[in-house]
Amino acid sequence: MSRCIMSIEHALLLCTRAKQVWERVGIGTAIAATGASYFLDWCIQSFAAVDAEKRKLLPWSNAQKSLIETSWSGYTIDDGAEQWVVPSENKIKVNVNAAFFNGGNKYGCGFVARDHHGMLVEGKTLLFTGTASPELAESIGVREAMSWIKSHGWQHVTLETNCLTVVQALRSSMDMISLFGQVILDCKKLLSYLKIVSVLFVKRSANMVAHNCARYGICSIRLATLFGSRF
């Protein structure tokens, strides 16, 4: 049986399966052959190229952000609210947001449930230790909010988030090989149980209460540290 000796570039870049993986994570066009002899050298050179490619695209990305929000094919008539509005009678609206905290390896999520009178039904904050991208933190917040809704047995709920990436992923049929993709899959499974829960994208201005709730998570920990278990 003949032996096939593969280079690093063939194994990680040039073979069909490797190309599919890089395309799936969205950096296929930026990864390029480097001539590196060692795996670490290949990683350093290749991902430096990815960073350079992203920097080139950043001005275009920022300029296109508002256009994407309105031209995305999955955008519905109920998406894009700039101000919070009460839900329909006998329905609950849950807003969710994530927040990052300076000076620590922490991020938090906050959920706020309100009724058709605009009155607070319940709120909750969660604090996580570790690093996460903004999209991952937002997706975790949405997943936890869905679990929260399920545990309460609430019916006819609208869930709002100002993270368009999460809403796009939830409405997409694509499977993503990433931690973000796994969280989105968890959300989809929860939605299969929550038949009358809809997820909408709203602007940041319509989600400020949830944002402030998410940021309160770090304050509660600090107060508990300051005053002890009596807090």
Side-chain angles (χ1 to χ4, degrees):
M1 183 173 64
S2 62
R3 293 180 60 191
C4 178
I5 301 175
M6 295 188 296
S7 67
I8 291 173
E9 287 172 349
H10 178 81
L12 300 180
L13 176 66
L14 301 178
C15 79
T16 301
R17 182 65 65 183
K19 287 180 180 179
Q20 290 174 345
V21 171
W22 293 123
E23 291 294 338
R24 177 62 63 87
V25 299
I27 56 176
T29 58
I31 292 291
T34 65
S37 300
Y38 298 97
F39 177 71
L40 181 59
D41 292 337
W42 181 86
C43 288
I44 293 172
Q45 294 177 43
S46 294
F47 286 97
V50 172
D51 288 340
E53 191 73 14
K54 286 182 176 179
R55 284 195 294 271
K56 291 178 184 177
L57 292 174
L58 186 59
W60 180 89
S61 177
N62 290 337
Q64 295 296 313
K65 184 177 180 181
S66 60
L67 178 60
I68 290 171
E69 289 180 353
T70 55
S71 62
W72 168 48
S73 60
Y75 206 84
T76 73
I77 192 171
D78 295 317
D79 288 316
E82 296 186 0
Q83 294 183 339
W84 189 87
V85 296
V86 298
S88 302
E89 189 172 358
N90 298 322
K91 291 186 178 182
I92 291 176
K93 179 174 286 187
V94 173
N95 288 77
V96 56
N97 197 228
F100 290 85
F101 307 112
N102 295 327
N105 199 28
K106 292 180 172 59
Y107 60 97
C109 301
F111 335 128
V112 179
R114 286 169 282 185
D115 63 18
H116 66 276
H117 297 294
M119 301 297 294
L120 177 68
V121 176
E122 193 174 329
K124 184 175 181 179
T125 62
L126 295 173
L127 186 65
F128 300 92
T129 298
T131 58
S133 67
E135 292 80 9
L136 177 58
E138 295 284 358
S139 66
I140 290 172
V142 169
R143 181 184 64 185
E144 296 302 317
M146 288 181 180
S147 296
W148 187 56
I149 292 168
K150 183 181 177 184
S151 68
H152 282 75
W154 287 333
Q155 304 293 315
H156 301 288
V157 179
T158 299
L159 179 63
E160 294 183 339
T161 171
N162 60 278
C163 185
L164 181 61
T165 302
V166 171
V167 177
Q168 288 175 321
L170 287 173
R171 296 179 189 174
S172 171
S173 60
M174 179 185 294
D175 293 328
M176 291 168 283
I177 307 173
S178 63
L179 183 54
F180 172 75
Q182 183 58 55
V183 175
I184 291 297
L185 182 60
D186 292 342
C187 291
K188 289 180 177 180
K189 289 178 179 177
L190 282 165
L191 280 174
S192 69
Y193 292 103
L194 303 170
K195 300 294 186 182
I196 44 183
V197 172
S198 59
V199 181
L200 297 178
F201 163 70
V202 296
K203 299 294 182 65
R204 178 72 172 271
S205 55
N207 209 34
M208 289 306 298
V209 172
H211 175 74
N212 292 332
C213 184
R215 295 202 62 81
Y216 174 75
I218 195 68
C219 298
S220 62
I221 297 297
R222 289 169 179 167
L223 287 171
T225 302
L226 180 62
F227 293 106
S229 60
R230 291 175 298 173
F231 174 73

